[in-house]
Amino acid sequence: MQSKHILITGGAGFIGSHVVRLFVTKYPDYQIVNLDKLTYAGNLENLKDIQDFPNYIFEKGDIVDADFITALFQKYNFDGVIHLAAESHVDRSITDPMSFVMTNVIGTVNLLNAARDAWKASGFEGKRFYHVSTDEVYGELHDPEEFFLETTSYDPRSPYSASKASSDHFVRAYHNTYKLPVVVSNCSNNYGPNHFPEKLIPLMINNIIHNFPLPVYGKGENVRDWLFVKDHARAIDVIYHNGVNGETYNIGGFNEWKNIDLVHLLCKIMDEKLGRPEGTSVKLITYVQDRAGHDLRYAIDANKLMKELGWEPSLQFEEGLASTVDWYLANTNWLKNVTSGDYLNYYESMYTNR
Ligand code: NAD
Ligand code: TYD
């Protein structure tokens, strides 16, 4: 008898795969349904170690398809939703904003409608809709003393952050209007294993391995606040179980890095690990045209989460970055499959032929 039925959306992606693994292994009496469309960012190889666990089910589907979502809620008696499915890359949002509107806004509203309709008869007793969001909704910081708080006004500046901000507003509106029990978290930039190599850190790791140029946007002065992905997954676990309905929690590691400094550090770590003379990889750095509307600095104040729910990051950045590099070097096949496109066949081979 499963005591909790949880829908996790986007579980084949970077952060989602860590959340799914954590919940499936830590809570054997929960039934975890991973719903993912398997876009270019979805890779079921990320979950091959737990795919046969009895409390894990994969469902391929699109959150934009309202009928499918309604049927999914009828098929499984979900107690909770942890919603991570999204289009997540700022650069892609600049070239194709509409796919961000569809998945991030329409898809989220479809899930909210389905949860509200499935749960209202129970008076929402024991139910929870957890929306996973980003610190980018707060815009950019200029004053070095300033941090994003849960009370900071929204000021999204890219199509990606505008779509996430919109979805956050819908989630809170459903709490206010329909009394749907929701929690929202806004997290800083994540890094770690299974990160698709279009984002800064895995892209640089892949390019250093292959001696490709390292494209640094603009002058490399932009600042990001980095958190190890497993610490984000741990925070999601804590907030899902102990967070207060209607509340927002900012998640971050108080770990700001200028892009150029981070790339230098990565070059140093990788020269050591690859047995190359120090200074080899730095020569690959190439300054390229800046991203349109590039946000200057993100920095999260995570004190509310730390004080109220007792979460704290477990890893120092240098340690986390070195272990991330180790993971990529030990999983060159994962990287090869992702960059060649072979990973897109994994679902067919594992799920449709057995
Ligand atoms: P990702 O791009 O790696 O994964 C997204 C997943 O969602 C993929 O598996 C993809 O197949 C799936 N998906 C996309 N469109 C879908 C649709 N229409 N229906 C069903 N599934 C769909 O993203 P990520 O980096 O793991 O981010 C996960 C969530 O966390 C997102 O909501 C993102 O906004 C948020 N977030 C990310 C970061 C970060 O640094 N990556 C930081 C803070 C918050
Ligand atoms: P990214 O990983 O795309 O995350 P986000 O834009 O959501 O913060 O980018 C992190 C930072 O690195 C951002 O300031 C843009 C910069 N960047 C580069 O300089 N070169 C690159 O090739 C990429 C992908 C990002």
Side-chain angles (χ1 to χ4, degrees):
M1 174 72 188
Q2 310 284 354
S3 66
K4 285 260 183 184
H5 295 73
I6 301 179
L7 171 65
I8 300 182
T9 71
F14 167 46
I15 301 169
S17 62
H18 290 278
V19 176
V20 166
R21 179 177 300 97
L22 179 65
F23 273 69
V24 165
T25 55
K26 187 171 173 186
Y27 303 109
D29 58 333
Y30 289 12
Q31 181 190 64
I32 303 299
V33 176
N34 170 14
L35 163 65
D36 200 295
K37 183 183 175 183
L38 300 181
T39 68
Y40 80 93
N43 182 355
L44 284 177
E45 269 188 76
N46 295 346
L47 290 168
K48 67 177 175 210
D49 55 322
I50 56 119
Q51 70 190 12
D52 292 324
F53 276 44
N55 62 336
Y56 172 70
I57 296 169
F58 176 69
E59 288 275 357
K60 186 171 190 275
D62 188 343
I63 59 170
V64 177
D65 181 346
D67 292 341
F68 168 78
I69 295 298
T70 302
L72 198 74
F73 272 77
Q74 281 161 2
K75 181 171 172 188
Y76 300 100
N77 199 10
F78 297 125
D79 303 301
V81 176
I82 304 178
H83 175 36
L84 295 110
E87 287 293 338
S88 67
H89 192 205
V90 174
D91 291 327
R92 286 180 189 255
S93 82
I94 294 168
T95 49
D96 177 22
M98 192 51 83
S99 61
F100 286 68
V101 175
M102 295 308 292
T103 288
N104 299 1
V105 185
I106 310 287
T108 300
V109 176
N110 281 338
L111 287 165
L112 288 166
N113 283 338
R116 178 199 58 197
D117 296 346
W119 294 345
K120 65 183 168 209
S122 68
F124 302 119
E125 192 57 40
K127 312 295 187 204
R128 169 149 281 183
F129 189 104
Y130 182 169
H131 180 60
V132 175
S133 192
T134 166
D135 61 355
E136 304 191 24
V137 297
Y138 298 122
E140 64 174 4
L141 295 166
H142 286 271
D143 176 351
E145 303 297 312
E146 216 186 331
F147 290 83
F148 295 137
L149 290 161
E150 287 79 0
T151 49
T152 302
S153 300
Y154 272 35
D155 182 23
R157 294 159 39 89
S158 73
Y160 165 64
S161 54
S163 68
K164 291 296 292 188
S166 172
S167 65
D168 294 8
H169 289 322
F170 271 104
V171 172
R172 295 193 183 103
Y174 273 57
H175 177 66
N176 181 59
T177 308
Y178 307 108
K179 309 303 169 212
L180 190 72
V182 308
V183 276
V184 178
S185 61
N186 296 85
C187 188
S188 62
N189 287 61
N190 285 213
Y191 71 97
N194 300 127
H195 206 182
F196 196 83
E198 64 180 354
K199 307 273 173 68
L200 179 72
I201 290 179
L203 182 137
M204 294 294 167
I205 292 174
N206 188 43
N207 285 15
I208 292 170
I209 292 173
H210 295 103
N211 278 306
F212 293 158
L214 307 179
V216 171
Y217 297 169
K219 294 184 178 143
E221 298 285 318
N222 304 69
V223 173
R224 295 293 182 266
D225 180 0
W226 294 94
L227 181 70
F228 192 58
V229 63
K230 291 184 187 182
D231 281 334
H232 188 186
R234 285 175 44 248
I236 288 173
D237 177 17
V238 169
I239 295 167
Y240 180 77
H241 288 99
N242 303 325
V244 175
N245 281 335
E247 289 292 314
T248 296
Y249 299 89
N250 279 356
I251 312 172
F254 293 101
N255 178 45
E256 293 177 53
W257 285 78
K258 262 187 198 165
N259 291 340
I260 190 62
D261 295 340
L262 194 163
V263 174
H264 273 269
L265 174 62
L266 251 185
C267 288
K268 185 167 171 288
I269 293 173
M270 291 206 59
D271 282 348
E272 270 167 34
K273 297 211 182 265
L274 293 168
R276 296 175 180 170
E278 196 175 338
T280 307
S281 301
V282 161
K283 294 192 191 116
L284 299 169
I285 291 176
T286 311
Y287 291 94
V288 299
Q289 188 178 2
D290 208 355
R291 172 186 281 171
H294 197 170
D295 285 341
L296 182 63
R297 171 175 165 253
Y298 304 141
I300 278 277
D301 182 335
N303 270 307
K304 175 178 172 180
L305 174 62
M306 294 167 85
K307 288 188 179 135
E308 293 184 11
L309 301 185
W311 171 90
E312 55 182 42
S314 68
L315 270 187
Q316 291 298 316
F317 187 56
E318 282 80 351
E319 193 190 337
L321 200 59
S323 80
T324 300
V325 169
D326 285 339
W327 185 86
Y328 279 93
L329 293 177
N331 290 276
T332 43
N333 255 345
W334 183 92
L335 209 46
K336 194 166 113 272
N337 286 348
V338 162
T339 44
S340 70
D342 280 356
Y343 71 108
L344 296 168
N345 302 322
Y346 190 81
Y347 171 74
E348 299 296 321
S349 65
M350 291 310 298
Y351 282 85
T352 54
N353 301 327
R354 64 176 193 167

